[in-house]
C-alpha cells in the first residue's frame, strides 16, 4: 500500500509509463515509415499508421493487398514491356 508520495516503489511505475510511451512512439514511427515506403514504390495504401499500430486486421490486410497488387503490376511490366 502507498503510504506517501516518497515511496520508492513509485519509481518503477513511472519508469514503466515512460518506457510504454517511448515504445508506442517507436511503433507509430515504424508504421509511418512502412506506409511511406509502400507509397514510394507506388502502392496505393489507404491505411493510417494508427491502424497498423492498433493492429486493425482489415486495414493491415489492405496494406498487404496493395503491396501484392503493386508486385503483380511490376511483374507484368517486366514480362510485357511496351
Amino acid at each position: 500500500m502507498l503510504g506517501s508520495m516518497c515511496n520508492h516503489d513509485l519509481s518503477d511505475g513511472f519508469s514503466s509509463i515512460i518506457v510504454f510511451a517511448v515504445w508506442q512512439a517507436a511503433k507509430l514511427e515504424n508504421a509511418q515509415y512502412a506506409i511511406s515506403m509502400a507509397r514510394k514504390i507506388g502502392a496505393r495504401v489507404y491505411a493510417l499508421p494508427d491502424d497498423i499500430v492498433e493492429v486493425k486486421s482489415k486495414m493491415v490486410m489492405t496494406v498487404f493487398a496493395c503491396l501484392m497488387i503493386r508486385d503483380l503490376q511490376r511483374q507484368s511490366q517486366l514480362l510485357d514491356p511496351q
Side-chain angles (χ1 to χ4, degrees):
M1 188 161 140
L2 183 62
S4 70
M5 293 304 289
C6 296
N7 192 331
H8 294 288
D9 293 333
L10 286 176
S11 64
D12 292 337
F14 289 133
S15 62
S16 297
I17 291 170
I18 292 170
V19 168
F20 179 76
V22 169
W23 179 247
Q24 287 297 104
K27 289 195 304 188
L28 186 61
E29 288 175 4
N30 287 338
Q32 290 170 338
Y33 180 73
I35 289 174
S36 68
M37 290 297 107
R39 289 180 176 152
K40 188 173 184 176
I41 65 170
R44 293 182 180 176
V45 178
Y46 303 104
L48 298 173
D50 292 331
D51 297 332
I52 295 173
V53 170
E54 295 171 11
V55 193
K56 293 183 179 176
S57 60
K58 290 182 181 178
M59 295 307 288
V60 172
M61 184 177 61
T62 62
V63 172
F64 281 102
C66 291
L67 290 170
M68 290 172 64
I69 289 169
R70 181 62 190 127
D71 184 52
L72 289 173
Q73 290 171 342
R74 187 184 60 83
Q75 287 179 10
S76 68
Q77 289 172 350
L78 291 175
L79 293 175
D80 189 29
Q82 295 181 15

